[in-house]
Amino acid sequence: MRSVTVRRYGRGARWLHALVYTGVLTELVTGAWFVLIGYEAGFVVGLTDVHEYAGFALTAVVLGGIVVGIRGARTFLAESVRFRRSDLRWFRHWPAGLRTGRFAYHDGHFDPGQRLANLVMVVLLAILLASGVGAMYLPGPFGIAVFQAHRFAAYAITPVLLGHIVIAAGILPGYRGVWRSMHLGGRLPEEVAERIWPGWLAGYRAAGTDRSGGYAIGAGSAEPGTGRAPTPGLRTWRGLWRARSGSARKS
């Protein structure tokens, strides 16, 4: 019997993610090489050009992704900045959950740790891209100051990205299987989604099932030509959460 799967991300989000992490990894590898052999030596082996062109390409991808997917960008930001007092409970249980997979309940599209990491990565990536361009074109002491900011942001974002890779790759026992949400069609086993994103899965289930053995995305009327309902907006998630909380109080 085939296990039920749920679609976490659509094709556009997966392609954008792949392009962004390809550019970021290129920047990190070439940037680390500058630290090891020195910036001047980078000119000799051509790494400086690779670093700069990759930076311009990454900037174009990020800006293009925001323009083309403005609704998704707004939802990403709104979901990343929302925090509740109950999120502190999730953080208290998180270290044990890395090993056991038993995390505290949360109702967000992202878990509280993801939200915090999203904000840190977005801010530092913006500083990296802006300061990288500024260091190339600003004259004298302004360019030097911006370059120092570029280096600081690079050092600060590296451990955050490494942690994100370890978690997203499913290396830790508690996060086994999550890598499928961004690869191979964006589907992952339902039990993995229930372990990591229980509130999101509750909204997903409320939308009904689709033809491919999983649940349809969202709630409400189907998208034209797809047979699937659109992704629930923030109001839908809040409504589901209020209904859930009301039922809990009555019981």
Side-chain angles (χ1 to χ4, degrees):
M1 180 177 178
R2 186 175 63 168
S3 63
V4 175
T5 61
V6 293
R7 176 171 292 165
R8 175 78 175 160
Y9 295 107
R11 181 179 299 174
R14 298 197 309 273
W15 271 105
L16 178 62
H17 182 263
L19 291 172
V20 169
Y21 75 62
T22 300
V24 168
L25 289 177
T26 302
E27 293 288 83
L28 283 180
V29 170
T30 53
W33 193 252
F34 292 148
V35 174
L36 294 175
I37 68 173
Y39 190 78
E40 293 77 9
F43 284 99
V44 178
V45 295
L47 287 180
T48 302
D49 290 336
V50 174
H51 191 78
E52 292 176 356
Y53 288 136
F56 284 125
L58 180 58
T59 302
V61 166
V62 171
L63 294 178
I66 293 174
V67 172
V68 174
I70 185 64
R71 292 179 60 187
R74 285 200 301 260
T75 301
F76 172 86
L77 183 60
E79 282 288 335
S80 296
V81 299
R82 59 185 295 276
F83 283 92
R84 304 179 185 274
R85 187 176 300 176
S86 59
D87 291 343
L88 297 176
R89 180 172 178 268
W90 186 92
F91 280 110
R92 287 198 302 269
H93 288 80
W94 181 66
L98 295 176
R99 179 175 52 85
T100 64
R102 291 192 290 270
F103 300 97
Y105 181 87
H106 70 90
D107 69 319
H109 181 86
F110 304 112
D111 66 43
Q114 282 181 290
R115 296 175 218 158
L116 182 60
N118 286 347
L119 295 177
V120 172
M121 287 190 289
V122 166
V123 171
L124 291 177
L125 183 59
I127 294 174
L128 274 172
L129 295 178
S131 60
V133 174
M136 294 176 61
Y137 296 106
L138 290 177
F142 296 104
I144 295 175
V146 169
F147 179 72
Q148 294 302 323
H150 188 76
R151 291 185 62 183
F152 168 79
Y155 289 136
I157 202 173
T158 298
V160 180
L161 289 174
L162 292 178
H164 175 72
I165 292 171
V166 169
I167 289 175
I171 295 174
L172 300 173
Y175 285 95
R176 292 277 165 80
V178 297
W179 66 273
R180 292 179 178 271
S181 66
M182 271 295 179
H183 303 87
L184 300 180
R187 289 190 171 275
L188 71 163
E190 185 185 40
E191 59 270 19
V192 176
E194 185 152 25
R195 190 174 75 241
I196 309 299
W197 304 289
W200 171 82
L201 182 62
Y204 196 91
R205 284 168 169 167
T209 58
D210 62 21
R211 297 179 180 177
S212 51
Y215 292 98
I217 300 174
S221 59
E223 293 177 351
T226 66
R228 295 194 303 270
T231 303
L234 295 177
R235 293 181 181 178
T236 305
W237 293 121
R238 291 187 183 118
L240 289 168
W241 173 248
R242 291 193 185 104
R244 184 188 183 96
S245 301
S247 300
R249 284 195 295 269
K250 291 177 182 179
S251 61

